[in-house]
Amino acid sequence: MTDLGPVAWPPAPIRTERLVLRGSEARDRAAFIELHASPEVHTYLGGSRPRDELEREMAEAPGRCPGSFVVDLDGAMIGQILLRRAPEHRRPAAAGKADLGYLFLPRAWGFGYAAEACAAALDWFDGVLPGEPVVLATQTANVGSMRLAAKLGFTGRSRVGRSEGAVAVGRSRR
């Protein structure tokens, strides 16, 4: 991951109707471990990591890097939003563009939190880097992610690479 250029990090917390997007803190470590150890979360991401490995290797305050937002509901982490730029993205359509990623704990699924948090992160991004294209890479088999991409204004599908069902969708500018 490369930085987002001239963007100061971390920004002031971003508040939505129900959520706060903020930088990572040490108190989030257990939620990060739960997130990365969850087989449900990593169904379309190549599989989860063993909890004991994460306990040993994870930083005291994981996720402290430009473009990484903790999604906080009532003072507790429920997910992570990532906005990052990878010059050599594994999906050629996304190379050099800002890439939106998100992970939410299964107990937070189905309440609209991902849409709310991603929309807020994209609004922030549009404010600090106006006109910058954003892509979202997912798999067509991940129906929930495809629905969220459409809800957020991402359009178009382009098969990329040899990964069956992988797509990169570009975001329409408002």
Side-chain angles (χ1 to χ4, degrees), residues 84-87 89-99 135-137 160 168:
R84 59 193 169 213
R85 184 174 296 122
H89 199 283
R90 63 188 170 135
R91 306 206 192 294
K97 296 181 177 83
D99 180 28
V135 297
L136 184 156
V160 292

Side-chain angles (χ1 to χ4, degrees), residues 6 17-18 20 32 40 48 61 66 73 83 109 136 138 142 145 150 155 158 160 166:
E17 184 178 326
R18 303 177 292 172
V20 177
F32 269 103
E40 296 87 4
S48 59
L73 173 67
L83 280 162
W109 295 357
L136 184 156
T138 191
N142 189 344
S145 189
T155 58
S158 59
V160 292

Side-chain angles (χ1 to χ4, degrees), residues 146-167:
M146 293 296 290
R147 273 195 310 261
L148 178 58
K151 185 181 279 190
L152 293 170
F154 286 88
T155 58
R157 295 181 184 183
S158 59
R159 287 205 183 280
V160 292
R162 303 178 77 105
S163 178
E164 183 57 39
V167 298

Side-chain angles (χ1 to χ4, degrees), residues 126-143:
D126 286 345
V128 296
L129 292 170
E132 185 86 19
V134 179
V135 297
L136 184 156
T138 191
Q139 294 181 24
T140 53
N142 189 344
V143 175

Side-chain angles (χ1 to χ4, degrees), residues 41-172:
V41 171
H42 291 273
T43 298
Y44 299 100
L45 299 173
S48 59
R49 292 187 53 202
R51 183 175 292 278
D52 61 336
E53 181 182 295
L54 291 164
E55 291 279 358
R56 281 192 314 276
E57 297 176 4
M58 193 164 287
E60 185 178 320
R64 279 194 180 169
C65 58
S68 175
F69 291 98
V70 163
V71 181
D72 183 307
L73 173 67
D74 298 329
M77 178 180 164
I78 60 165
Q80 179 185 25
I81 302 290
L82 296 162
L83 280 162
R84 59 193 169 213
R85 184 174 296 122
E88 296 180 20
H89 199 283
R90 63 188 170 135
R91 306 206 192 294
K97 296 181 177 83
D99 180 28
L100 173 67
Y102 45 88
L103 300 171
F104 283 82
L105 293 168
R107 67 177 172 266
W109 295 357
F111 299 98
Y113 298 138
E116 186 175 330
C118 287
L122 289 167
D123 287 345
W124 169 82
F125 187 84
D126 286 345
V128 296
L129 292 170
E132 185 86 19
V134 179
V135 297
L136 184 156
T138 191
Q139 294 181 24
T140 53
N142 189 344
V143 175
S145 189
M146 293 296 290
R147 273 195 310 261
L148 178 58
K151 185 181 279 190
L152 293 170
F154 286 88
T155 58
R157 295 181 184 183
S158 59
R159 287 205 183 280
V160 292
R162 303 178 77 105
S163 178
E164 183 57 39
V167 298
V169 290
R171 184 164 185 248
S172 302

